[in-house]
Amino acid sequence: MSTAEEATVNPDGSTTFNDAGGADSAGAGAAGEDMPNMDGAEETAEEIVKGTDPALFLALAVLAFAVIFVFLQLRKKKKNAEVDDFFSNLDGDKFNLKLPAAVDEYYEVKGKVEADGWEPGQAVQGGQPSPHHRALAQALMKRCIADIPIVNHIQRESAGMNKLYSQSMCSVKQWKSYQAAEALVSSEVEEVRAEADEIEPGWSQAVWRQAMQYHNMLKQKEEQAKSQAIAQQKAIADKKRAEDDKKAAEKARYDAIKQKVDDEKARIANAEKTAEELLKQEAREKDSKKAFSGKAGSGMKKGFLG
């Protein structure tokens, strides 16, 4: 390495050179002494890594896996809850069924006839049912007819719900609600059959068929009554509309005639006014002519005499 020299100008004009290399070398030496030993640091890091227990890395990996697993499970649980809420809100109270009031009414009638001495399975005497037998049979038929809507509802929903459940397309809550409703209806059907056999042996084979027939008859009558009511309301509305149209036509005809009369009156009034104005104008013209003639005659005489 070349040595750097520093030039100094003396007062007498001469120049001297100082060797700065020593200072630079000293500074470089000092700087070299101040720099840390990087080789020693790298060796220390390698020793730390080599001295770490592999079980620590395994524990960290297991911890990370556990955190990811818990996160995925919570996410799945939240998603399933959202799906359950969706199906629950979608169907609402479709399977929140209750037995009709006719069920309690039947047992009230049964309690009364039993208190009067009627016994289940009592045979009809003389081919004619007793008043107790007739009252109980009517109460059971009323109960059975009132059950028809919920029985039909479960029968309609059964195939669809079983298909949804087999394809995992309905929630557990929805499926349990359907099962509870189905069990309720099935129990009611069997109880009605048992009560029918108590009233009249063998009636259980026909009670539901008869109830369905009565239900359809009542429904048909109800629909006919509704149709008749609608037709009656329509007839009343049509009659009222016809009357309103007639009144409107009569009023329009009256207004048209009145308008013609008013127009004729106005025309006559205008004609009379015009005629009156013409007469007045003619009178004014005559008066003007007379006045003019009089003045003209007076002037001529004066001039002639003069």
Side-chain angles (χ1 to χ4, degrees):
M1 247 181 113
S2 61
T3 303
E5 295 181 351
E6 183 180 356
T8 304
V9 180
N10 298 321
D12 57 356
S14 61
T15 303
T16 59
F17 296 93
N18 297 325
D19 187 4
D24 293 341
S25 300
E33 291 176 358
D34 293 337
M35 291 179 63
N37 189 357
M38 299 303 297
D39 295 338
E42 292 178 357
E43 291 177 357
T44 302
E46 291 179 357
E47 290 177 357
I48 292 174
V49 172
K50 291 180 179 179
T52 303
D53 191 354
L56 179 61
F57 293 104
L58 181 60
L60 292 175
V62 171
L63 180 61
F65 176 78
V67 171
I68 295 173
F69 178 78
V70 171
F71 172 76
L72 293 177
Q73 289 298 318
L74 291 176
R75 185 178 178 183
K76 183 179 180 181
K77 185 176 180 180
K78 182 179 179 181
K79 188 175 181 181
N80 291 335
E82 291 176 353
V83 172
D84 291 344
D85 292 340
F86 170 76
F87 281 108
S88 178
N89 295 330
L90 182 65
D91 290 333
D93 297 331
K94 181 184 289 187
F95 299 116
N96 187 16
L97 303 182
K98 294 181 180 179
L99 294 178
V103 176
D104 294 333
E105 293 174 0
Y106 167 78
Y107 286 113
E108 290 177 3
V109 174
K110 184 178 181 180
K112 291 180 181 179
V113 297
E114 286 180 343
D116 291 341
W118 181 86
E119 296 180 358
Q122 186 175 355
V124 178
Q125 297 179 356
Q128 296 295 330
S130 64
H132 294 160
H133 184 278
R134 185 182 297 107
L136 194 57
Q138 290 176 352
L140 183 63
M141 181 55 62
K142 181 180 178 182
R143 170 185 177 180
C144 196
I145 293 172
D147 286 334
I148 293 296
I150 61 174
V151 173
N152 289 339
H153 176 69
I154 290 298
Q155 289 178 346
R156 285 193 305 267
E157 297 293 335
S158 178
M161 285 302 302
N162 283 284
K163 184 176 180 180
L164 289 175
Y165 182 74
S166 64
Q167 297 177 357
S168 300
M169 294 180 65
C170 68
S171 64
V172 176
K173 181 179 178 180
Q174 185 185 13
W175 176 249
K176 288 183 178 180
S177 178
Y178 163 73
Q179 284 184 317
E182 186 182 32
L184 176 68
V185 172
S186 298
S187 176
E188 174 65 8
V189 170
E190 295 303 322
E191 286 184 12
V192 168
R193 287 175 177 169
E195 294 293 331
D197 281 336
E198 287 186 358
I199 297 172
E200 184 177 345
W203 192 26
S204 62
Q205 303 298 322
V207 63
W208 280 105
R209 183 175 67 255
Q210 294 173 358
M212 182 63 72
Q213 293 174 354
Y214 283 124
H215 174 75
N216 291 337
M217 290 172 58
L218 294 174
K219 188 176 181 181
Q220 186 176 2
K221 288 183 179 180
E222 183 180 354
E223 291 177 353
Q224 289 177 354
K226 189 182 296 184
S227 299
Q228 290 176 358
I230 294 173
Q232 186 176 3
Q233 292 177 357
K234 186 176 181 299
I236 294 173
D238 292 342
K239 183 179 179 181
K240 187 176 183 302
R241 190 183 302 109
E243 292 177 353
D244 293 340
D245 293 342
K246 183 179 179 181
K247 290 180 180 179
E250 292 177 352
K251 186 177 184 302
R253 186 166 56 254
Y254 171 79
D255 292 340
I257 295 173
K258 185 176 180 297
Q259 186 66 35
K260 288 182 179 180
V261 172
D262 293 340
D263 293 343
E264 185 65 19
K265 287 181 179 180
R267 187 186 67 78
I268 295 172
N270 291 331
E272 291 177 349
K273 184 177 181 181
T274 302
E276 184 179 357
E277 290 178 353
L278 289 173
L279 292 173
K280 288 181 179 180
Q281 186 176 359
E282 289 177 357
R284 285 194 298 269
E285 289 177 354
K286 288 180 180 180
D287 293 340
S288 298
K289 287 179 180 181
K290 287 180 180 180
F292 179 75
S293 298
K295 289 181 180 179
S298 298
M300 288 177 65
K301 287 180 180 179
K302 240 181 197 185
F304 178 74
L305 290 175

